[in-house]
Amino acid sequence: MANHGAEAANQDHTPGHTSGHTRDHTPDSDDTRDRYDPSALEALWQSRWDEHGTNRFTLDEFRSAEDPYYNLMMFPYPSAEGLHVGNIYAFTGADVHGRYHRLRGREVFEPIGFDAFGIHSENFALKVGLHPMDLIPKNVANFTRQLRRIGGMFDWDHTVDTTTPEYYRWTQWLFLQLFKGGLAEQKEAPVNWCPSCMTVLANEQVISGLCERCDSAVEQRRIAQWFFRITDFAQRLLDNLDDLDWSETTKKAQSNWIGRSEGAFLRFPMADEPSADTGSGKADSGMTSPANRAETVDVFTTRPDTIFGATYMVLSPEHPLVDRVTLPEHRPEIDAYRKQASAMDLVARQKTDKTKTGVFTGGHCVNPATGERIPIWIADYVLMEYGTGAIMAVPGHDQRDFEFATKFELPIPRVVAGPDDTADTPLEEAYVGPGRLVNSGPFDGLPIDEAIAKVTAWLDEKGAGEKTINYRLHDWCISRQRYWGPPIPIIHCARCGAVPVPEEDLPVVLPRVEDFKPDDSGISPLARVEEWYRTECPDCGGEAERETDVSDTFLDSAWYFLRYPSTDIADAPFDPAITRRWLPVDTYIGGNEHAVLHLLYARFVTMALHDLGHLDFEEPFTRFRAHGLIIREGAKMSKSKGNVVVPDPIIEEYGADTFRLYLMFLGPFEEGGDYRDLGIQGPFGFLKRLWETVVDDLDPDPEAAPDPDVERKLHQTIEQVTRQLPELQYNTSIAAMMEYLNAVRSGGRTPVRAEVEPLVVLVAPFAPHIAEELWSRLGHAESLWDAAPWPDFDPEKMAEDTITLAVQVNGKVRGTVELPAGASQETALAAARDEPNVARHLAEVELRRVIHVPDRLLNLVVG
RNA sequence: GCCGGGGUGGCGAAAUCGGUAAACGCAGGGGACUUAAAAUCCCCCGGGCGAAAGCCCUUGCGGGUUCAAGUCCCGCCCCCGGCACCA
């Protein structure tokens, strides 16, 4: 838009300099210049803020900030479709928070960036036949345009794009730190393989057996992978949750994901098998070699107290001991079963309602409690990923084992008796309730809690096991056999093994490869680029090859918040002094879909960097709030339904201020809301009315005294908004401001400046452009955002002098009376008796009791 | 099955410590202004009975505590999100 005059007038913007821009910002003719024209006005202020560096920090400012506030939101993945309402909703909610603190005088750093590596981008590039290196910059440019348009308080001098070598250089550096710290290791492991995406997936990316991206059934494969040892931190990650100011739902999701369970690790010695028919059946028949005798089947159980009822063992079909324990005559059956299990996709494998299957191996263990030989089976209801991949089956007290034992006619003894049971009460199903041990030798009669401790201690003494803690959490597999990610900075040398790339050689630049389509080989496309992967060993100088896998996108986003304030620093990932001043992040706002993925990894990386001496804190986000989800007209938005809200035309028509205000008005920010197309009229009308109030209708006397009733309402409104904004209670804050403006304009009265100016500031976090414009029109030379003029409220001015007291008779409202605030019970009662309808209900009954809640109600109990 | 979060007018939603249920907004109805429309402004707007005054009912369902329950307790039902053969 054209506003050359205004721009020129503002070139030397300094405090005290009244530029006169309050009137000359629209070069149009006189009759249109005072109309509320959001698009023009928003463009004007955005360019002014940009010129003045209103939202940008210099390196010096980072180093010297006295009251820093790091306001973070989850950076977007720049898709080709552009920003969707969900993004804008989240960013606006976070921006409102940042702007509020800015108006309170904090130095608010609010960065944004782009999480642009990963399978999403790569698959889309493949689909449209473009190279991601060409596609991503376009998407980033489009996102940047949109992000600027919505008026976020972003520091555009400190953005990150995870796909630039300047950024991923440090992602690779991070990998090396973890590698050197012993927290990264390569191991062959069964992994989730998506046959459609042709890549390995993290457990978190598998949603009930399906690929979270393409819904293909996930298969199992064994590939050498790089892992981060996040499980080493499981207990700390869990313990620290107690002290984090995070949304409860997010903390709960993390603690479920970590999945701590207390129990025991137990060793069941393998029994040697009677060759042919020696028939003795005793463990030490002399046929057992010493090596064999040492072999055990190890299990994890949360119910060591039930060990006397363990009548068989079950190994997962993938368990490494299966071959050892299987007797030759059972071999064909076992092999067939294992083949069937491995062919089965994880959906079918994890279906819980299917009937139990399994095969006897022919092998046996000795139950260390009873000394009895018990058979070893394999069954797919035992998962290799959890615990040791083997269980002791206690059919009497575990429903899964009960079903299995019933089907295969294995014994089902009772070892726990409930309050109404005896040791011999038959079991119709597994009994898992409270009770006391039975049929358990010396432990009979003990309640479960006590028995768990005593039995475990007893087994420990016998060397048969010990108390332990098991976690559901797995190590983080970060290898991806794909193209679009940072190469893992490792060089494989036949002589020296896996050698880290020297830090001074970083970044290992991702080469431009035209043929980046993944294939079914399980090998990265980079393995096709010989001139790239052939290199020398940094240690011995011999021929060597680069690691051709790239790292998981979640690694890029696990540390980006450390980079933002230090993007001016070229020779370190984050500057120690700046980091000390600005981190940990004060408030982080984002979607709960990242509760266990991104947020847990970011915590792990921070904790690891802390332990390795790079950071002096171990939790990255002091406060985290999960925002809700936006639906439309009661239905989930999706591309396939064609009911997605497209933000650009709405912003075009109503302006970013209205759109922001409307999104925040839909419902509680932390619960989301229902976007109804017509609803935007309310917030639009409000801003328009506010505009007219200041621009057209204001009392010309700037010193005019406020109306006492309006002033009282003003202080009540300031109080409410000041209390609710930092708690993200945006919808009710907006309602309060609307109510206040209604009071200011009621009966078409002429508003005075003292009534209106504070409202302009209150509304500013939601509608920053119109607020700045009105602030300027009210005669202020300094930007609203630099002046930090958050209004104070005066409790005395808030107080009502007369109140309406509800009068109840027997709990039912029969009338109201007007009274001076703080009126005594006697006064209230007298007034109530004078109220005709109340008097009617008091006639001919006896007043038995009076309940007086001062200034609220009077309840007269009669009978 | 387990763990969260919910269920309030036609709709989105409000409601400190238990104290006048439905603030604010949308949609709808009526009116003013206008040649007309848009925009704007004013009034009405949970249900039932009543001419009115007023009375009765109403926060998913059923009980309970209390002078008083959307709010607290017990038992259910339904919706949304997460986890799920986790030993």
Side-chain angles (χ1 to χ4, degrees):
Chain A
M1 69 163 279
N3 46 56
H4 318 292
E7 302 299 7
N10 259 306
Q11 289 306 308
D12 58 343
H13 193 99
T14 49
H17 168 85
T18 308
S19 66
H21 63 238
T22 57
R23 284 284 158 178
D24 64 1
H25 74 292
T26 42
D28 308 335
S29 58
D30 283 1
D31 55 313
T32 59
R33 72 178 182 194
D34 279 351
R35 215 189 63 222
Y36 176 39
D37 179 358
S39 288
L41 173 158
E42 289 171 5
L44 168 72
W45 283 110
Q46 284 172 12
S47 64
R48 286 229 178 109
W49 294 332
D50 216 24
E51 283 162 32
H52 299 155
T54 302
N55 300 319
R56 297 196 304 263
F57 283 81
T58 62
L59 187 53
D60 278 349
E61 284 167 340
F62 272 123
R63 290 191 162 135
S64 62
E66 281 172 18
D67 197 6
Y69 192 92
Y70 191 163
N71 188 48
L72 183 69
M73 61 198 82
M74 289 180 178
F75 66 164
Y77 149 68
S79 67
E81 289 86 24
L83 281 180
H84 55 81
V85 232
N87 295 131
I88 298 180
Y89 182 69
F91 297 154
T92 301
D95 186 58
V96 169
H97 189 253
R99 287 185 179 274
Y100 167 74
H101 283 289
R102 171 88 178 242
L103 290 172
R104 305 227 65 176
R106 307 291 301 267
E107 290 160 82
V108 178
F109 176 50
E110 187 173 295
I112 194 80
F114 304 97
D115 189 16
F117 262 139
I119 299 178
H120 289 75
S121 306
E122 189 178 312
N123 284 349
F124 185 79
L126 285 167
K127 192 172 143 196
V128 299
L130 288 171
H131 196 281
M133 285 182 178
D134 300 328
L135 194 64
I136 291 301
K138 283 186 195 159
N139 292 350
V140 166
N142 187 39
F143 262 61
T144 303
R145 179 188 60 77
Q146 290 182 303
L147 287 165
R148 285 178 177 270
R149 184 65 191 84
I150 63 169
M153 207 175 59
F154 302 122
D155 181 343
W156 289 105
D157 285 352
H158 295 90
T159 64
V160 302
D161 172 346
T162 56
T163 66
T164 58
E166 297 75 47
Y167 182 84
Y168 69 70
R169 167 186 182 180
W170 301 114
T171 306
Q172 292 169 337
W173 172 89
L174 174 61
F175 177 93
L176 293 179
Q177 305 317 304
L178 295 186
F179 178 81
K180 290 170 188 170
L183 293 170
E185 60 181 346
Q186 198 177 24
K187 56 188 180 191
E188 187 173 290
V191 293
N192 304 295
W193 175 262
C194 172
S196 166
C197 301
M198 297 190 196
T199 190
V200 167
L201 302 173
N203 285 329
E204 296 87 321
Q205 291 165 319
V206 181
I207 310 298
S208 53
L210 301 177
C211 171
E212 70 162 356
R213 291 200 40 268
C214 68
D215 281 347
S216 307
V218 171
E219 299 169 355
Q220 303 168 58
R221 282 198 178 184
R222 291 187 74 86
I223 302 182
Q225 309 280 334
W226 284 96
F227 285 84
F228 283 160
R229 300 172 56 99
I230 189 172
T231 52
D232 289 3
F233 294 73
Q235 191 62 50
R236 271 163 82 193
L237 288 167
L238 189 63
D239 289 344
N240 284 5
L241 286 176
D242 291 342
D243 301 321
L244 291 179
D245 177 14
W246 282 26
S247 294
E248 274 315 309
T249 67
T250 312
K251 291 210 273 189
K252 193 74 196 167
Q254 291 217 346
S255 100
N256 288 345
W257 190 261
I258 293 167
R260 180 185 205 270
S261 32
E262 288 185 29
F265 182 75
L266 301 179
R267 286 179 286 275
F268 284 61
M270 283 193 208
D272 40 272
E273 297 306 329
S275 60
D277 55 9
T278 54
S280 87
K282 273 290 158 198
D284 50 356
S285 59
M287 309 273 304
T288 311
S289 72
N292 281 356
R293 193 178 294 160
E295 276 193 282
T296 57
V297 173
D298 301 338
V299 303
F300 172 72
T301 177
T302 55
R303 291 295 303 275
D305 57 312
T306 60
I307 189 168
F308 288 85
T311 49
Y312 62 104
M313 308 289 288
V314 187
L315 304 183
S316 158
E318 300 86 4
H319 198 284
L321 281 180
V322 173
D323 282 331
R324 266 288 294 117
V325 301
T326 301
L327 295 188
E329 61 268 34
H330 294 269
R331 174 70 59 188
E333 254 190 296
I334 289 287
D335 286 348
Y337 187 80
R338 296 179 85 184
K339 200 171 167 193
Q340 181 199 325
S342 69
M344 201 186 299
D345 63 66
L346 288 168
V347 197
R349 172 75 188 262
Q350 293 192 348
K351 266 244 189 289
T352 58
D353 53 357
K354 71 174 199 244
T355 53
K356 297 280 180 284
T357 59
V359 183
F360 179 43
T361 62
H364 290 81
C365 280
V366 176
N367 181 324
T370 61
E372 280 171 27
R373 279 167 58 94
I374 58 175
I376 305 172
W377 288 62
I378 65 172
D380 65 3
Y381 80 93
V382 175
L383 308 175
M384 195 60 222
E385 308 84 84
Y386 187 77
T388 62
I391 60 159
M392 67 175 201
V394 184
H397 306 283
D398 180 289
Q399 190 56 30
R400 296 155 299 182
D401 298 342
F402 183 89
E403 288 165 22
F404 189 86
T406 305
K407 177 163 174 189
F408 294 104
E409 296 178 343
L410 293 156
I412 307 178
R414 176 187 280 278
V415 290
V416 177
D420 303 325
D421 301 323
T422 68
D424 304 318
T425 309
L427 286 154
E428 301 299 325
E429 58 181 0
Y431 179 75
V432 295
R436 290 171 184 276
L437 295 209
V438 292
N439 302 322
S440 297
F443 302 100
D444 280 355
L446 289 179
I448 290 171
D449 287 353
E450 212 178 309
I452 287 175
K454 295 216 162 129
V455 172
T456 307
W458 177 68
L459 290 169
D460 198 349
E461 274 172 44
K462 293 167 58 114
E466 57 274 324
K467 191 172 161 106
T468 191
I469 313 271
N470 191 59
Y471 300 92
R472 210 191 74 101
L473 183 69
H474 292 94
D475 278 335
W476 174 14
C477 174
I478 63 138
S479 301
R480 293 294 178 276
Q481 291 70 44
R482 296 287 292 228
Y483 169 67
W484 193 232
I488 292 173
I490 289 287
I491 292 169
H492 296 284
C493 169
R495 231 170 318 173
C496 313
V499 180
V501 171
E503 286 180 25
E504 58 272 21
D505 292 348
L506 296 181
V508 178
V509 175
L510 179 70
R512 184 174 174 115
V513 177
E514 296 307 326
D515 174 23
F516 59 88
K517 198 176 187 326
D519 59 32
D520 198 37
S521 63
I523 298 171
S524 163
L526 288 176
R528 299 170 204 155
V529 191
E530 196 175 338
E531 64 276 20
W532 180 79
Y533 70 72
R534 276 203 187 284
T535 188
E536 309 184 334
C537 173
D539 282 1
C540 70
E543 280 188 16
E545 295 182 358
R546 292 189 187 281
E547 168 69 56
T548 55
D549 284 357
V550 298
S551 58
D552 183 6
T553 321
F554 278 110
L555 185 58
D556 306 327
S557 56
W559 75 281
Y560 75 113
F561 51 92
L562 295 172
R563 182 62 184 161
Y564 277 139
S566 293
T567 53
D568 297 321
I569 309 294
D571 58 358
F574 41 88
D575 178 80
I578 292 174
T579 302
R580 251 195 310 282
R581 193 170 287 267
W582 285 88
L583 282 114
V585 167
D586 291 278
T587 293
Y588 192 18
I589 288 173
N592 226 6
E593 67 272 18
H594 291 120
V596 292
L597 304 133
H598 161 63
L599 285 170
L600 196 63
Y601 294 150
R603 293 183 62 213
F604 158 70
V605 162
T606 304
M607 209 172 265
L609 287 174
H610 167 266
D611 288 4
L612 296 169
H614 296 285
L615 295 172
D616 58 5
F617 53 91
E618 62 174 46
E619 286 292 342
F621 315 123
T622 306
R623 186 168 179 253
F624 173 78
R625 291 293 179 275
H627 64 253
L629 298 177
I630 297 287
I631 57 173
R632 186 184 193 182
E633 314 281 351
K636 224 187 229 176
M637 275 187 268
S638 73
K639 256 191 286 180
S640 54
K641 280 190 216 152
N643 65 341
V644 180
V645 177
V646 183
D648 291 50
I650 302 167
I651 294 172
E652 185 60 36
E653 184 174 358
Y654 293 98
D657 283 339
T658 293
F659 194 48
R660 291 165 57 105
L661 190 65
Y662 180 43
L663 289 176
M664 297 301 100
F665 185 61
L666 289 177
F669 183 63
E670 292 176 71
E671 286 165 39
D674 189 357
Y675 187 97
R676 294 169 61 256
D677 294 357
L678 288 170
I680 198 166
Q681 292 300 337
F684 180 67
F686 169 74
L687 288 184
K688 201 169 162 209
R689 203 172 182 213
L690 178 65
W691 174 271
E692 286 159 3
T693 300
V694 176
V695 172
D696 300 327
D697 303 335
L698 203 60
D699 189 318
D701 175 8
E703 304 299 324
D707 176 87
D709 288 336
V710 174
E711 189 183 34
R712 183 182 317 115
K713 187 98 187 153
L714 171 64
H715 284 269
Q716 291 169 350
T717 304
I718 297 171
E719 188 280 330
Q720 182 180 339
V721 175
T722 304
R723 178 164 41 82
Q724 293 191 330
L725 271 199
E727 298 305 320
L728 280 51
Q729 291 160 3
Y730 299 146
N731 58 331
T732 46
S733 294
I734 294 167
M737 291 188 274
M738 287 175 166
E739 206 176 330
Y740 175 63
L741 185 60
N742 289 344
V744 169
R745 302 312 309 268
S746 72
R749 61 180 290 278
T750 298
V752 308
R753 182 194 173 113
E755 296 164 356
V756 173
E757 190 169 301
L759 178 60
V760 168
V761 182
L762 294 184
V763 86
F766 300 96
H769 312 85
I770 189 176
E772 180 82 308
E773 173 69 21
L774 295 177
W775 176 256
S776 149
R777 283 175 181 250
L778 285 165
H780 298 282
E782 192 182 15
S783 167
L784 174 67
W785 303 104
D786 295 326
W790 193 258
D792 289 321
F793 60 90
D794 180 345
E796 283 183 22
K797 288 185 177 164
M798 281 169 56
E800 305 278 351
D801 36 5
T802 64
I803 52 91
T804 306
L805 188 77
V807 182
Q808 298 181 336
V809 178
N810 280 351
K812 291 189 190 235
V813 179
R814 298 301 181 185
T816 59
V817 292
E818 299 291 319
L819 289 174
S824 68
Q825 181 170 315
E826 290 68 31
T827 314
L829 187 55
R833 284 186 191 279
D834 285 346
E835 211 285 324
N837 198 42
V838 174
R840 205 162 57 82
H841 282 90
L842 293 181
E844 298 181 20
V845 286
E846 191 190 339
L847 182 57
R848 293 182 189 275
R849 194 173 160 191
V850 178
I851 287 121
H852 180 229
V853 183
D855 297 347
R856 295 305 295 252
L857 68 59
L858 187 70
N859 187 11
L860 307 175
V861 184
V862 300

